[in-house]
Amino acid sequence: MFKALLLTKSDDGKLSCAVTDLDESQLPAGEVLVQVAYSTLNYKDGLAITGHAPVVRSYPMVPGIDFAGTVLESSDARYQRGDAVLLNGWGVGEGHWGGLAQRARVKADWLVPLPAGLTLQQTMALGTAGYTAMLCVMALRGQGVTPERGPVLVTGGNGGVGSIAIALLSRLGFTVHASTGRMNEADHLRALGAAELVDRAVLNAPGKPLQKERWAAAVDSVGSHTLVNVCASLRYGGVVAACGLAQGMDFPATMAPFILRGVTLAGVDSVMAPYARRVQAWSRLAAELPADVLARNTRTIGLADAPAVAAQLLAGQVRGRVVVDVNG
């Protein structure tokens, strides 16, 4: 038996969420059984746990789109008992039972070995948010963005993706501007590496198709009008790595930034990214983000605390990253 956060839905559509004792025989199919040590709360987990958006595709469901732990059993030769592994994405926590539990059974193809230089807890202090932030940084660098081209904007600066993106970019020599709706967190954002703060209200309402050229590039996890205004404010040849939709999945834009300023909109997907890119991203995270920065940006909670903190996350009341100790 093991403990898990289990989501159920009644015939009348009422969602319930509770820590429940489950048997290993109830786990879905997969080649690898993992003793989970840590999971985390991401925006998508918040949506699943609160039911604010239909991200869960079947019930009952164990949420948690990522986890880190140790292999207990494996029918795949790539993994042996005792191997330390982590997982991000692949529909785990949406269509396949996820990481907010003490056990998980998954496909071997979904796993990545623990990167050298990181502990299991540190990988979840990064989590899918940190991994996605690195994918965004890799996308910008792949488009030729360098510090000499000018400042880079990071939207959702206090969120998981935003906070890690600020830290990564500043340590690569970029001048980072951070957009946030919580200007009272200025000291925290500057400690991460933000040189200038931008009030979220400047970006989240409808704006002109072309605006003053401010940024050479951007990392956006917000979408909707924010992403439109970011594109309209990029310098000639600017690039935005778009990875989220906290404000909305709509994009009410014009073609003006793309055909008059040569702006590039680079979509970043973390869910189905191929194995080689995942390994590259995690290796770079291990090498480029100091442990003290990670510690300052992270807090740890227990499994029973996850529902309340998930609601706080969606309300914009959570700073940085939240690690869930599933055995705590």
Side-chain angles (χ1 to χ4, degrees):
M1 301 293 290
F2 64 95
K3 294 189 180 298
L5 191 68
L6 190 69
L7 303 178
T8 57
K9 183 174 279 191
S10 64
D11 291 340
D12 61 1
K14 183 179 179 180
L15 181 69
S16 297
C17 176
V19 176
T20 306
D21 288 320
L22 299 175
D23 189 271
E24 282 185 9
S25 63
Q26 296 175 265
L27 288 169
E31 299 90 6
V32 185
L33 176 66
V34 178
Q35 170 72 55
V36 178
Y38 300 98
S39 185
T40 180
L41 288 180
N42 298 281
Y43 189 77
K44 190 178 287 185
D45 299 318
L47 294 175
I49 291 170
T50 62
H52 283 191
V55 298
V56 174
R57 298 194 288 273
S58 64
Y59 291 91
M61 176 59 58
V62 175
I65 65 172
D66 46 18
F67 64 76
T70 306
V71 173
L72 290 174
E73 300 173 4
S74 175
S75 61
D76 188 288
R78 288 171 290 179
Y79 297 102
Q80 307 298 322
R81 181 178 176 86
D83 287 350
V85 295
L86 62 93
L87 180 145
N88 306 100
W90 299 113
V92 169
E94 303 171 72
H96 186 101
W97 283 14
L100 287 170
Q102 295 172 331
R103 298 281 193 282
R105 184 180 288 120
V106 296
K107 292 184 178 181
D109 286 343
W110 296 349
L111 295 170
V112 172
L114 180 73
L118 289 176
T119 66
L120 291 173
Q121 186 172 19
Q122 286 172 331
T123 63
M124 288 300 100
L126 289 160
T128 294
Y131 153 67
T132 302
M134 178 55 82
L135 290 177
C136 289
V137 172
M138 290 163 59
L140 295 184
R141 298 307 296 268
Q143 292 288 337
V145 178
T146 61
E148 295 74 27
R149 287 177 57 174
V152 176
L153 174 70
V154 176
T155 64
N158 274 301
V161 174
S163 58
I164 301 296
I166 292 167
L168 289 169
L169 288 165
S170 65
R171 279 151 187 80
L172 288 171
F174 288 91
T175 299
V176 182
H177 295 181
S179 168
T180 180
R182 287 177 276 169
M183 300 300 283
N184 60 313
E185 297 281 8
D187 290 344
H188 174 66
L189 293 173
R190 289 197 171 96
L192 288 172
E196 184 175 319
L197 303 187
V198 179
D199 194 312
R200 179 175 63 194
V202 174
L203 297 170
N204 66 3
K208 296 179 180 178
L210 279 180
Q211 300 170 33
K212 179 181 178 181
E213 297 183 43
R214 299 185 64 182
W215 302 291
V219 172
D220 177 65
S221 59
V222 180
S224 192
H225 291 292
T226 296
L227 178 56
V228 173
N229 288 320
V230 169
C231 290
S233 302
L234 289 182
R235 297 179 181 182
Y236 190 89
V239 182
V240 55
C243 65
L245 38 74
Q247 185 180 3
M249 65 183 300
D250 58 324
F251 186 56
T254 73
M255 288 297 294
F258 307 106
I259 61 175
L260 297 180
R261 289 187 183 162
V263 165
T264 296
L265 178 56
V268 174
D269 166 61
S270 63
V271 177
M272 305 299 289
Y275 180 82
R277 181 165 285 270
R278 290 170 181 267
V279 171
Q280 181 186 8
W282 278 106
S283 296
R284 287 191 57 176
L285 284 167
E288 297 179 21
L289 196 64
D292 62 322
V293 173
L294 199 54
R296 288 200 307 270
N297 195 50
T298 306
R299 66 167 164 144
T300 301
I301 64 172
L303 193 59
D305 302 318
V309 178
Q312 294 168 14
L313 190 155
L314 292 191
Q317 298 169 350
V318 172
R319 182 180 80 180
R321 301 286 298 125
V322 177
V323 171
V324 182
D325 180 351
V326 299
N327 301 294

